[in-house]
Amino acid sequence: MVTVTLGIFSIVTTEILPIGLLTGIGAGFAVSDGMAGLMMTMPGFLAAVSAPLVTVATTRIDRRLMLCVFMLLLAMANLLAAVASDYWLVLLSRVVVGVVIGGFWSIGAGLAERLVPAESVGRATAVIFSAVPLGSVLGVPAGTFIGDLAGWRTAFVVLGVLAFGVLFMLLLVMPPLPPVQATRLSVLRGMLRSVDTRFALLLTFLVVLAHFGAYTYVAPFLEQVTDAGPRLITVFLLVYGAAGIIGNFSGGALVARRPRAAFGLAAGLIAAATLLLPVLGRWEVGAAALLVVWGAAYGAVPVASQTWFAKAAPGSREAASVLFTASFQATISLGALAGGLVVDRTSPSAVMALGGGTAMLAVMAVWVHFARRPTWPAGT
């Protein structure tokens, strides 16, 4: 479990590191904040496509071997970004990152039941998904700090070394994991006929769109509205990530019993935080308090989404992970792209308000689902 968690941690950190280094990378290549946001957009779209394609194409290959291949690709992508002489090379490295995200997440997110006893699967899943807020609380602030201290290229070098370390750990301690159930496109199509699966897709789309449409541009917001310097922004991101860890485990405990309540509460808190940021975020205390709320709320989202997909298809865990990964990553890209278009034409405050409005739609969707189906289907 530890190696899978570290692998996802390195992937999450690589994926969202540009959030903390956005303005520095953009200035280095003389591109706008919105154009720099393509570093967030491209991996998500590639991950959404590669999640089903790679998983289906490699369905007969040992899953341990595939995890090792993805870690090798991640290390190479980070090192390519570190030595890139033109912005297009950075984007090329992000294409590779997208393939890695789609493949590793689809396989790794559903491995808990194969690595621990049945009674520990829920706790193990929360541990795996703790890599998401850990990437925020440790990875992004640390990467931002390294970038401020030694340049953004150094931050990518460090991530490349980390990926190589995870690769060696996988080779040393991970047992062979031969495929136990073939994930075919027909299985994925069958899942889409489920009402609960379609609602999982809708909620994931709305919440992740709201979050990444706003959070991708939180550094420009803190710079321009809160008037925070690079070191303070690092502290803010650290506070956000710490709250995310708490939200991950508390949300994981709630979602096992009440998945809709967990999703609805997370969406409502994200809406409140992002809508209030343009008003209260002008002061450092207000920005910090709202980032705590935002971090805690979003920390529960990945485990809530994955659990909802798994409950909708209890007999197809890897297929559920594929749909979770594809929908999650596609929406990350769309959110970053939409936020970039808005921030280049208006302001970071407008991006926050737009994110809050989108999160409110997710709250309404949860309410509609509960009204139509007051109790969760038995046996799931």
Side-chain angles (χ1 to χ4, degrees):
M1 292 306 305
V2 174
T3 52
V4 175
T5 303
L6 285 174
I8 292 180
F9 169 80
S10 62
I11 289 173
V12 169
T13 303
T14 297
E15 182 178 16
I16 64 178
L17 180 64
I19 291 175
L21 303 175
L22 197 70
T23 53
I25 297 174
F29 290 106
V31 298
S32 68
D33 287 343
M35 181 63 70
L38 287 175
M39 291 183 291
M40 290 293 296
T41 300
M42 293 188 67
F45 278 130
L46 266 296
V49 173
S50 66
L53 295 182
V54 172
T55 306
V56 170
T58 64
T59 189
R60 299 185 184 278
I61 301 177
D62 187 284
R63 309 329 262 163
R64 170 178 174 268
L65 175 60
M66 291 308 305
L67 295 180
C68 291
V69 169
F70 292 133
M71 276 297 105
L72 177 61
L73 289 174
L74 183 68
M76 295 172 63
N78 278 314
L79 296 180
L80 174 60
V83 301
S85 57
D86 293 296
Y87 186 54
W88 71 267
L89 285 173
V90 177
L91 295 182
L92 178 61
S93 76
R94 303 298 286 176
V95 169
V96 178
V97 170
V99 175
V100 171
I101 294 169
F104 197 102
W105 265 105
S106 294
I107 296 172
L111 282 181
E113 64 180 11
R114 298 189 63 182
L115 298 175
V116 300
E119 64 271 13
S120 301
V121 169
R123 189 180 307 110
T125 301
V127 170
I128 289 177
F129 280 95
S130 69
V132 177
L134 278 173
S136 298
V137 72
L138 295 178
V140 174
T144 304
F145 177 76
I146 293 171
D148 291 337
L149 198 65
W152 62 267
R153 295 179 186 274
T154 305
F156 281 102
V157 170
V158 172
L159 280 176
V161 173
L162 173 62
F164 275 122
V166 175
L167 170 60
F168 289 128
M169 288 185 65
L170 287 169
L171 291 171
L172 288 174
V173 304
M174 178 69 72
L177 295 169
V180 295
Q181 184 179 34
T183 299
R184 305 184 187 280
L185 292 177
S186 58
V187 176
L188 299 176
R189 287 195 297 268
M191 287 184 61
L192 292 175
R193 299 190 186 100
S194 166
V195 173
D196 291 316
T197 298
R198 292 198 294 269
F199 255 93
L201 288 169
L202 174 63
L203 292 178
T204 298
F205 170 77
L206 291 173
V207 176
V208 178
L209 180 68
H211 172 75
F212 277 97
Y215 187 63
T216 301
Y217 304 96
V218 71
F221 176 89
L222 294 172
E223 285 182 358
Q224 298 173 29
V225 179
T226 313
D227 198 26
R231 299 294 172 86
L232 185 56
I233 290 176
T234 300
V235 173
F236 279 138
L237 293 176
L238 185 66
V239 168
Y240 166 89
I245 293 177
I246 297 173
N248 175 78
F249 286 101
S250 59
L254 176 62
V255 76
R257 304 186 308 272
R258 304 183 65 185
R260 288 177 295 198
F263 237 136
L265 180 61
L269 290 176
I270 290 173
T274 50
L275 288 172
L276 289 173
L277 261 175
V279 179
L280 302 180
R282 292 176 292 174
W283 298 279
E284 295 174 1
V285 173
L290 291 174
L291 284 172
V292 168
V293 174
W294 190 352
Y298 182 71
V301 169
V303 67
S305 178
Q306 167 68 10
T307 301
W308 194 312
F309 277 110
K311 281 180 173 289
S316 306
R317 293 285 181 174
E318 188 170 275
S321 294
V322 169
L323 285 183
F324 161 75
T325 302
S327 61
F328 213 91
Q329 294 300 325
T331 313
I332 287 176
S333 292
L334 185 58
L337 178 61
L341 294 173
V342 173
V343 79
D344 278 350
R345 288 163 174 77
T346 55
S347 69
S349 293
V351 173
M352 299 299 154
L354 184 61
T358 306
M360 285 303 301
L361 293 178
V363 176
M364 295 172 61
V366 172
W367 181 83
V368 169
H369 188 267
F370 183 80
R372 291 182 175 179
R373 184 175 291 181
T375 58
W376 195 270
T380 61

